[in-house]
Amino acid sequence: MLLKTFGWSFAVTAAGLALAGVLWGWKGLAIVGILSILEISLSFDNAVINAGILRKMNAFWQKIFLTVGVLIAVFGMRLVFPIVIVAITAKMGPIEAVDLAINDKDRYEHLVTAAHPAIAAFGGVFLLMIFLDFLFEERDIRWLSWLEKPLGKLGKLDMLSVVVALGALLLAATTVATDVAHGGGDKTATVMLSGVAGLVTYLIVGGISGYFEDRIEEAEEDEDEAEGGDGDGDRAALDAAGPQAAGAASVSRAGAASAVGLAGKAAFFMFLYLEVIDASFSFDGVIGAFAITNDIFEMALGLGIGAMYIRSLTVFLVRKGTLDDYVYLEHGAHYAIGALAVILLITIKYEINEVITGLIGVVLIAASYWSSVVRNRRDAGSEDSSGTKAEVTSGV
Protein backbone atom coordinates (compact mmCIF):
# COMPACT_ATOMS: atom_id res chain seq x y z
CA MET A 1 0.00 0.00 0.00
CA LEU A 2 2.75 2.43 1.02
CA LEU A 3 4.97 1.65 -1.95
CA LYS A 4 2.01 1.68 -4.35
CA THR A 5 0.95 5.14 -3.20
CA PHE A 6 4.36 6.73 -2.67
CA GLY A 7 6.31 4.79 -5.30
CA TRP A 8 6.32 7.63 -7.84
CA SER A 9 7.27 10.11 -5.13
CA PHE A 10 10.26 7.99 -4.12
CA ALA A 11 11.29 7.60 -7.76
CA VAL A 12 10.95 11.32 -8.49
CA THR A 13 12.92 12.14 -5.33
CA ALA A 14 15.79 9.84 -6.31
CA ALA A 15 15.86 11.15 -9.88
CA GLY A 16 15.50 14.78 -8.78
CA LEU A 17 18.27 14.64 -6.19
CA ALA A 18 20.55 12.82 -8.63
CA LEU A 19 19.88 15.47 -11.27
CA ALA A 20 20.54 18.25 -8.74
CA GLY A 21 23.83 16.64 -7.78
CA VAL A 22 24.93 16.35 -11.41
CA LEU A 23 23.90 19.89 -12.41
CA TRP A 24 24.79 21.90 -9.29
CA GLY A 25 26.93 19.64 -7.10
CA TRP A 26 26.54 19.10 -3.37
CA LYS A 27 25.29 22.64 -2.80
CA GLY A 28 22.49 22.20 -5.34
CA LEU A 29 21.64 18.81 -3.86
CA ALA A 30 21.29 20.37 -0.38
CA ILE A 31 19.17 23.26 -1.70
CA VAL A 32 16.76 20.95 -3.53
CA GLY A 33 16.45 18.76 -0.42
CA ILE A 34 15.72 21.75 1.82
CA LEU A 35 13.12 23.12 -0.62
CA SER A 36 11.39 19.73 -0.72
CA ILE A 37 11.12 19.66 3.08
CA LEU A 38 9.92 23.28 3.09
CA GLU A 39 7.13 22.48 0.62
CA ILE A 40 5.98 19.41 2.57
CA SER A 41 5.93 21.26 5.91
CA LEU A 42 4.01 24.21 4.46
CA SER A 43 1.47 22.11 2.57
CA PHE A 44 0.58 19.21 4.88
CA ASP A 45 -2.77 20.86 5.63
CA ASN A 46 -3.26 21.10 1.87
CA ALA A 47 -3.08 17.30 1.66
CA VAL A 48 -5.82 16.90 4.29
CA ILE A 49 -8.10 19.38 2.51
CA ASN A 50 -7.44 17.74 -0.85
CA ALA A 51 -8.21 14.32 0.61
CA GLY A 52 -11.62 15.54 1.78
CA ILE A 53 -12.44 16.46 -1.82
CA LEU A 54 -10.58 13.66 -3.61
CA ARG A 55 -12.41 10.89 -1.73
CA LYS A 56 -15.58 11.96 -3.57
CA MET A 57 -13.89 11.22 -6.90
CA ASN A 58 -13.38 7.84 -8.55
CA ALA A 59 -10.08 6.03 -9.10
CA PHE A 60 -9.68 7.50 -12.59
CA TRP A 61 -9.75 11.08 -11.35
CA GLN A 62 -7.47 10.19 -8.46
CA LYS A 63 -4.94 9.04 -11.07
CA ILE A 64 -5.48 12.26 -13.04
CA PHE A 65 -4.75 14.17 -9.84
CA LEU A 66 -1.51 12.24 -9.39
CA THR A 67 -0.37 12.61 -13.01
CA VAL A 68 -1.75 15.66 -14.81
CA GLY A 69 -2.18 17.42 -11.48
CA VAL A 70 1.48 16.93 -10.63
CA LEU A 71 2.56 18.34 -13.99
CA ILE A 72 0.41 21.41 -13.36
CA ALA A 73 1.74 21.74 -9.83
CA VAL A 74 5.41 21.31 -10.70
CA PHE A 75 5.73 23.02 -14.07
CA GLY A 76 2.69 25.27 -13.89
CA MET A 77 2.78 26.70 -10.38
CA ARG A 78 6.45 26.28 -9.44
CA LEU A 79 8.07 27.17 -12.77
CA VAL A 80 5.70 28.88 -15.22
CA PHE A 81 3.54 30.85 -12.75
CA PRO A 82 6.36 33.02 -11.31
CA ILE A 83 7.53 33.80 -14.86
CA VAL A 84 3.99 34.78 -15.89
CA ILE A 85 3.70 37.01 -12.83
CA VAL A 86 6.96 38.73 -13.75
CA ALA A 87 5.85 39.15 -17.36
CA ILE A 88 2.56 40.75 -16.30
CA THR A 89 3.87 43.01 -13.55
CA ALA A 90 6.97 44.11 -15.48
CA LYS A 91 4.98 44.43 -18.72
CA MET A 92 7.38 42.29 -20.74
CA GLY A 93 6.98 39.37 -23.11
CA PRO A 94 7.13 35.76 -21.84
CA ILE A 95 10.39 35.03 -23.70
CA GLU A 96 12.00 38.11 -22.18
CA ALA A 97 10.74 37.03 -18.73
CA VAL A 98 12.28 33.56 -19.19
CA ASP A 99 15.57 35.11 -20.28
CA LEU A 100 15.46 37.35 -17.21
CA ALA A 101 14.81 34.38 -14.90
CA ILE A 102 17.82 32.52 -16.31
CA ASN A 103 20.34 35.30 -16.88
CA ASP A 104 19.42 38.00 -14.36
CA LYS A 105 18.29 36.08 -11.30
CA ASP A 106 18.56 38.99 -8.87
CA ARG A 107 16.22 41.22 -10.91
CA TYR A 108 13.87 38.27 -11.45
CA GLU A 109 13.73 37.69 -7.68
CA HIS A 110 13.07 41.40 -7.13
CA LEU A 111 10.17 41.42 -9.61
CA VAL A 112 8.55 38.30 -8.13
CA THR A 113 8.89 39.78 -4.64
CA ALA A 114 7.38 43.05 -5.87
CA ALA A 115 4.36 41.10 -7.10
CA HIS A 116 3.84 39.56 -3.67
CA PRO A 117 1.02 41.94 -2.53
CA ALA A 118 -1.15 40.89 -5.48
CA ILE A 119 -0.31 37.19 -5.03
CA ALA A 120 -0.93 37.31 -1.26
CA ALA A 121 -4.27 39.11 -1.66
CA PHE A 122 -5.53 36.62 -4.26
CA GLY A 123 -4.40 33.53 -2.34
CA GLY A 124 -5.34 34.95 1.07
CA VAL A 125 -8.95 35.69 0.10
CA PHE A 126 -9.36 32.37 -1.74
CA LEU A 127 -8.12 30.38 1.26
CA LEU A 128 -10.10 32.54 3.66
CA MET A 129 -13.30 31.65 1.78
CA ILE A 130 -12.52 27.93 2.15
CA PHE A 131 -12.08 28.40 5.89
CA LEU A 132 -15.15 30.58 6.37
CA ASP A 133 -17.46 28.28 4.41
CA PHE A 134 -16.30 25.43 6.63
CA LEU A 135 -16.65 27.45 9.82
CA PHE A 136 -20.15 28.74 9.05
CA GLU A 137 -21.52 25.33 8.11
CA GLU A 138 -23.62 23.43 10.65
CA ARG A 139 -22.28 19.92 11.18
CA ASP A 140 -22.88 17.01 13.53
CA ILE A 141 -19.21 16.57 14.43
CA ARG A 142 -17.57 19.60 16.03
CA TRP A 143 -14.03 19.94 17.27
CA LEU A 144 -14.23 23.29 19.09
CA SER A 145 -17.94 23.22 19.97
CA TRP A 146 -17.85 26.50 21.89
CA LEU A 147 -16.84 28.24 18.65
CA GLU A 148 -18.28 26.09 15.87
CA LYS A 149 -21.80 25.73 17.27
CA PRO A 150 -22.71 29.46 17.41
CA LEU A 151 -20.87 30.17 14.13
CA GLY A 152 -22.74 27.31 12.47
CA LYS A 153 -26.02 28.99 13.42
CA LEU A 154 -24.75 32.33 12.13
CA GLY A 155 -23.93 30.59 8.85
CA LYS A 156 -27.65 30.42 8.06
CA LEU A 157 -27.32 34.04 6.97
CA ASP A 158 -26.85 34.08 3.20
CA MET A 159 -23.46 35.15 1.85
CA LEU A 160 -22.01 35.66 5.33
CA SER A 161 -18.68 34.17 4.22
CA VAL A 162 -18.47 36.63 1.33
CA VAL A 163 -19.25 39.58 3.61
CA VAL A 164 -16.58 38.58 6.13
CA ALA A 165 -13.98 37.92 3.39
CA LEU A 166 -14.66 41.29 1.78
CA GLY A 167 -14.40 42.94 5.20
CA ALA A 168 -11.02 41.27 5.78
CA LEU A 169 -9.86 42.36 2.31
CA LEU A 170 -10.99 45.94 2.92
CA LEU A 171 -9.15 45.94 6.27
CA ALA A 172 -5.97 44.64 4.61
CA ALA A 173 -6.21 47.13 1.75
CA THR A 174 -6.59 50.09 4.11
CA THR A 175 -3.87 49.02 6.58
CA VAL A 176 -1.04 46.75 5.45
CA ALA A 177 -1.40 47.66 1.76
CA THR A 178 -0.99 51.42 2.18
CA ASP A 179 2.79 51.31 2.63
CA VAL A 180 4.25 48.09 1.27
CA ALA A 181 7.87 47.08 1.69
CA HIS A 182 7.66 44.62 -1.26
CA GLY A 183 7.87 46.86 -4.28
CA GLY A 184 7.26 49.98 -2.20
CA GLY A 185 4.44 52.47 -2.21
CA ASP A 186 0.68 52.28 -1.88
CA LYS A 187 -0.71 48.96 -3.13
CA THR A 188 -4.31 49.49 -2.01
CA ALA A 189 -5.81 49.26 -5.50
CA THR A 190 -3.67 46.23 -6.41
CA VAL A 191 -4.63 44.38 -3.25
CA MET A 192 -8.34 45.16 -3.66
CA LEU A 193 -8.38 44.06 -7.30
CA SER A 194 -6.41 40.86 -6.63
CA GLY A 195 -8.49 40.00 -3.56
CA VAL A 196 -11.75 40.41 -5.47
CA ALA A 197 -10.28 38.23 -8.24
CA GLY A 198 -9.52 35.55 -5.63
CA LEU A 199 -13.08 35.77 -4.30
CA VAL A 200 -14.63 35.57 -7.78
CA THR A 201 -12.41 32.59 -8.67
CA TYR A 202 -13.53 30.76 -5.54
CA LEU A 203 -17.21 31.47 -6.19
CA ILE A 204 -17.00 30.36 -9.83
CA VAL A 205 -14.93 27.18 -9.47
CA GLY A 206 -16.38 26.15 -6.10
CA GLY A 207 -19.90 27.02 -7.19
CA ILE A 208 -19.75 24.99 -10.42
CA SER A 209 -18.24 21.91 -8.73
CA GLY A 210 -20.80 22.21 -5.92
CA TYR A 211 -23.62 22.46 -8.45
CA PHE A 212 -22.63 19.25 -10.21
CA GLU A 213 -22.05 17.49 -6.91
CA ASP A 214 -25.58 18.42 -5.80
CA ARG A 215 -26.97 17.13 -9.09
CA ILE A 216 -25.25 13.79 -8.54
CA GLU A 217 -26.68 13.52 -5.02
CA GLU A 218 -30.15 14.33 -6.36
CA ALA A 219 -29.78 11.67 -9.06
CA GLU A 220 -28.74 9.10 -6.44
CA GLU A 221 -31.70 10.02 -4.24
CA ASP A 222 -34.05 9.65 -7.22
CA GLU A 223 -32.56 6.23 -7.93
CA ASP A 224 -33.10 5.16 -4.33
CA GLU A 225 -36.71 6.33 -4.44
CA ALA A 226 -37.27 4.49 -7.73
CA GLU A 227 -35.83 1.31 -6.24
CA GLY A 228 -38.06 1.71 -3.22
CA GLY A 229 -41.13 1.91 -5.45
CA ASP A 230 -40.51 -1.40 -7.22
CA GLY A 231 -42.85 -3.22 -4.87
CA ASP A 232 -42.24 -5.78 -2.18
CA GLY A 233 -42.92 -8.61 -4.60
CA ASP A 234 -40.18 -7.52 -6.99
CA ARG A 235 -37.74 -7.00 -4.17
CA ALA A 236 -38.53 -10.42 -2.69
CA ALA A 237 -38.00 -12.01 -6.10
CA LEU A 238 -34.66 -10.26 -6.47
CA ASP A 239 -33.59 -11.33 -3.00
CA ALA A 240 -34.55 -14.92 -3.79
CA ALA A 241 -32.58 -14.77 -7.05
CA GLY A 242 -29.46 -13.85 -5.14
CA PRO A 243 -27.15 -10.84 -4.82
CA GLN A 244 -25.84 -11.01 -8.39
CA ALA A 245 -29.32 -10.65 -9.87
CA ALA A 246 -30.13 -7.88 -7.45
CA GLY A 247 -26.91 -6.07 -8.40
CA ALA A 248 -27.65 -6.46 -12.11
CA ALA A 249 -31.14 -5.08 -11.63
CA SER A 250 -29.73 -2.15 -9.70
CA VAL A 251 -27.30 -1.36 -12.53
CA SER A 252 -30.11 -1.66 -15.04
CA ARG A 253 -32.31 0.75 -13.12
CA ALA A 254 -29.44 3.14 -12.79
CA GLY A 255 -29.63 3.44 -16.56
CA ALA A 256 -28.17 6.68 -15.52
CA ALA A 257 -25.88 7.51 -18.31
CA SER A 258 -26.72 11.02 -17.28
CA ALA A 259 -25.53 10.31 -13.76
CA VAL A 260 -22.23 9.06 -15.16
CA GLY A 261 -21.95 12.20 -17.25
CA LEU A 262 -22.70 14.41 -14.30
CA ALA A 263 -20.13 12.57 -12.25
CA GLY A 264 -17.54 13.25 -14.93
CA LYS A 265 -18.37 16.94 -15.02
CA ALA A 266 -18.40 17.16 -11.24
CA ALA A 267 -15.04 15.40 -11.02
CA PHE A 268 -13.58 17.73 -13.65
CA PHE A 269 -14.62 20.87 -11.82
CA MET A 270 -13.51 19.40 -8.49
CA PHE A 271 -10.16 18.76 -10.15
CA LEU A 272 -9.99 22.42 -11.20
CA TYR A 273 -10.96 23.39 -7.65
CA LEU A 274 -8.14 21.25 -6.27
CA GLU A 275 -5.66 22.87 -8.64
CA VAL A 276 -6.72 26.38 -7.60
CA ILE A 277 -6.38 25.37 -3.94
CA ASP A 278 -2.91 24.02 -4.68
CA ALA A 279 -2.04 27.26 -6.43
CA SER A 280 -3.13 29.27 -3.40
CA PHE A 281 -1.06 27.07 -1.10
CA SER A 282 1.98 27.29 -3.37
CA PHE A 283 2.22 31.09 -3.21
CA ASP A 284 3.94 31.22 0.16
CA GLY A 285 6.22 28.33 -0.79
CA VAL A 286 7.37 30.02 -4.01
CA ILE A 287 7.96 33.36 -2.30
CA GLY A 288 9.67 31.71 0.68
CA ALA A 289 11.93 29.69 -1.61
CA PHE A 290 13.71 32.88 -2.66
CA ALA A 291 15.21 33.01 0.83
CA ILE A 292 17.08 29.83 -0.14
CA THR A 293 17.75 30.25 -3.86
CA ASN A 294 16.81 32.47 -6.80
CA ASP A 295 17.53 29.81 -9.40
CA ILE A 296 14.13 28.95 -10.93
CA PHE A 297 15.20 25.42 -11.88
CA GLU A 298 16.45 24.54 -8.39
CA MET A 299 13.25 26.04 -7.04
CA ALA A 300 10.98 24.13 -9.41
CA LEU A 301 12.80 20.85 -8.75
CA GLY A 302 12.80 21.15 -4.97
CA LEU A 303 9.24 22.42 -4.62
CA GLY A 304 8.11 19.93 -7.25
CA ILE A 305 9.44 16.98 -5.25
CA GLY A 306 7.60 18.31 -2.20
CA ALA A 307 4.40 18.75 -4.23
CA MET A 308 4.66 15.13 -5.38
CA TYR A 309 4.70 13.91 -1.77
CA ILE A 310 1.72 16.09 -0.90
CA ARG A 311 -0.26 14.51 -3.73
CA SER A 312 0.76 10.99 -2.73
CA LEU A 313 -0.13 11.76 0.87
CA THR A 314 -3.53 13.00 -0.28
CA VAL A 315 -4.27 9.72 -2.08
CA PHE A 316 -2.90 7.75 0.90
CA LEU A 317 -5.30 9.52 3.27
CA VAL A 318 -8.19 8.73 0.91
CA ARG A 319 -7.34 5.05 0.45
CA LYS A 320 -6.71 4.46 4.16
CA GLY A 321 -9.94 6.22 5.15
CA THR A 322 -7.93 8.35 7.57
CA LEU A 323 -10.42 11.21 7.56
CA ASP A 324 -13.18 8.82 8.57
CA ASP A 325 -11.09 7.34 11.38
CA TYR A 326 -9.76 10.67 12.69
CA VAL A 327 -12.75 12.94 12.32
CA TYR A 328 -11.17 16.16 13.58
CA LEU A 329 -8.34 16.17 11.03
CA GLU A 330 -10.38 18.16 8.54
CA HIS A 331 -11.20 20.66 11.26
CA GLY A 332 -7.52 21.12 12.09
CA ALA A 333 -6.62 21.49 8.42
CA HIS A 334 -9.30 24.14 7.88
CA TYR A 335 -8.12 26.10 10.92
CA ALA A 336 -4.60 25.89 9.48
CA ILE A 337 -5.97 27.24 6.20
CA GLY A 338 -7.61 30.12 8.08
CA ALA A 339 -4.29 30.89 9.78
CA LEU A 340 -2.44 30.74 6.45
CA ALA A 341 -5.00 33.08 4.86
CA VAL A 342 -4.49 35.65 7.61
CA ILE A 343 -0.70 35.26 7.39
CA LEU A 344 -0.78 35.82 3.63
CA LEU A 345 -2.72 39.06 4.07
CA ILE A 346 -0.33 40.23 6.80
CA THR A 347 2.70 39.44 4.62
CA ILE A 348 1.51 42.06 2.14
CA LYS A 349 3.54 44.41 4.32
CA TYR A 350 5.32 42.39 7.01
CA GLU A 351 7.68 39.46 6.62
CA ILE A 352 6.77 36.28 8.50
CA ASN A 353 9.26 33.44 8.56
CA GLU A 354 8.14 30.30 6.69
CA VAL A 355 9.08 28.20 9.73
CA ILE A 356 6.37 29.98 11.74
CA THR A 357 3.84 29.46 8.95
CA GLY A 358 4.65 25.77 8.71
CA LEU A 359 4.67 25.23 12.48
CA ILE A 360 1.22 26.79 12.92
CA GLY A 361 -0.24 24.34 10.42
CA VAL A 362 1.58 21.36 11.91
CA VAL A 363 0.53 22.25 15.47
CA LEU A 364 -3.15 22.67 14.52
CA ILE A 365 -3.26 19.39 12.59
CA ALA A 366 -1.37 17.55 15.35
CA ALA A 367 -3.83 18.90 17.93
CA SER A 368 -6.81 17.80 15.83
CA TYR A 369 -5.24 14.37 15.32
CA TRP A 370 -4.70 13.93 19.05
CA SER A 371 -8.27 15.06 19.76
CA SER A 372 -9.47 12.44 17.27
CA VAL A 373 -7.43 9.73 19.00
CA VAL A 374 -8.86 10.73 22.39
CA ARG A 375 -12.39 10.67 20.94
CA ASN A 376 -11.86 7.22 19.42
CA ARG A 377 -10.54 5.84 22.71
CA ARG A 378 -13.47 7.34 24.60
CA ASP A 379 -15.96 5.88 22.15
CA ALA A 380 -14.24 2.49 22.27
CA GLY A 381 -14.34 2.60 26.07
CA SER A 382 -18.04 3.43 26.02
CA GLU A 383 -18.76 0.52 23.68
CA ASP A 384 -16.75 -1.89 25.84
CA SER A 385 -18.56 -0.66 28.94
CA SER A 386 -21.96 -1.06 27.28
CA GLY A 387 -21.04 -4.53 26.05
CA THR A 388 -19.87 -5.60 29.51
CA LYS A 389 -23.08 -4.33 31.09
CA ALA A 390 -25.14 -6.11 28.47
CA GLU A 391 -23.34 -9.40 29.16
CA VAL A 392 -23.78 -9.07 32.92
CA THR A 393 -27.47 -8.26 32.54
CA SER A 394 -28.09 -11.13 30.15
CA GLY A 395 -26.16 -13.43 32.47
CA VAL A 396 -28.44 -12.51 35.35
Side-chain angles (χ1 to χ4, degrees), residues 23-285:
L23 294 177
W24 305 298
W26 288 107
K27 182 181 178 181
L29 181 66
I31 287 173
V32 169
I34 291 169
L35 287 173
S36 303
I37 296 170
L38 172 69
E39 178 69 10
I40 294 170
S41 64
L42 287 175
S43 301
F44 185 82
D45 44 357
N46 188 13
V48 179
I49 297 300
N50 287 351
I53 300 170
L54 198 65
R55 62 179 172 174
K56 301 175 185 178
M57 300 161 71
N58 60 25
F60 170 78
W61 280 99
Q62 290 180 11
K63 289 179 181 177
I64 292 293
F65 179 73
L66 268 177
T67 52
V68 178
V70 166
L71 292 176
I72 295 173
V74 176
F75 295 103
M77 292 312 305
R78 274 75 180 180
L79 184 62
V80 177
F81 175 74
I83 292 175
V84 171
I85 288 294
V86 167
I88 293 173
T89 55
K91 298 179 181 178
M92 63 177 64
I95 296 177
E96 187 181 355
V98 171
D99 180 69
L100 182 71
I102 296 173
N103 298 316
D104 193 351
K105 297 175 183 177
D106 291 335
R107 184 161 178 251
Y108 171 77
E109 177 183 350
H110 172 74
L111 290 173
V112 172
T113 305
H116 179 71
I119 296 171
F122 181 96
V125 171
F126 187 92
L127 294 177
L128 186 61
M129 281 297 299
I130 295 175
F131 171 63
L132 291 174
D133 274 352
F134 177 86
L135 199 61
F136 290 140
E137 181 183 349
E138 277 200 294
R139 50 178 42 83
D140 296 329
I141 297 175
R142 302 186 186 95
W143 183 31
L144 306 177
S145 297
W146 56 272
L147 177 64
E148 294 171 14
K149 188 173 182 179
L151 290 179
K153 293 179 179 178
L154 276 177
K156 294 178 181 178
L157 298 172
D158 288 339
M159 306 302 287
L160 181 59
S161 298
V162 175
V163 173
V164 174
L166 285 174
L169 176 61
L170 184 61
L171 178 64
T174 54
T175 54
V176 293
T178 55
D179 184 19
V180 176
H182 306 289
D186 188 345
K187 297 289 184 179
T188 300
T190 300
V191 167
M192 283 297 297
L193 183 62
S194 300
V196 170
L199 176 61
V200 170
T201 301
Y202 174 84
L203 293 176
I204 291 175
V205 180
I208 292 175
S209 62
Y211 167 77
F212 282 113
E213 188 179 357
D214 291 341
R215 290 287 299 274
I216 288 175
E217 290 177 359
E218 289 173 8
E220 289 175 350
E221 288 174 3
D222 291 342
E223 276 184 40
D224 292 340
E225 289 177 6
E227 289 176 12
D230 284 342
D232 293 337
D234 291 343
R235 178 159 298 178
L238 286 173
D239 291 340
Q244 290 183 340
S250 176
V251 171
S252 174
R253 280 194 303 270
S258 58
V260 174
L262 286 172
K265 293 175 185 176
F268 172 71
F269 283 106
M270 282 184 185
F271 173 76
L272 292 182
Y273 182 51
L274 283 170
E275 291 307 313
V276 178
I277 290 175
D278 179 76
S280 300
F281 271 97
S282 71
F283 293 152
D284 58 333

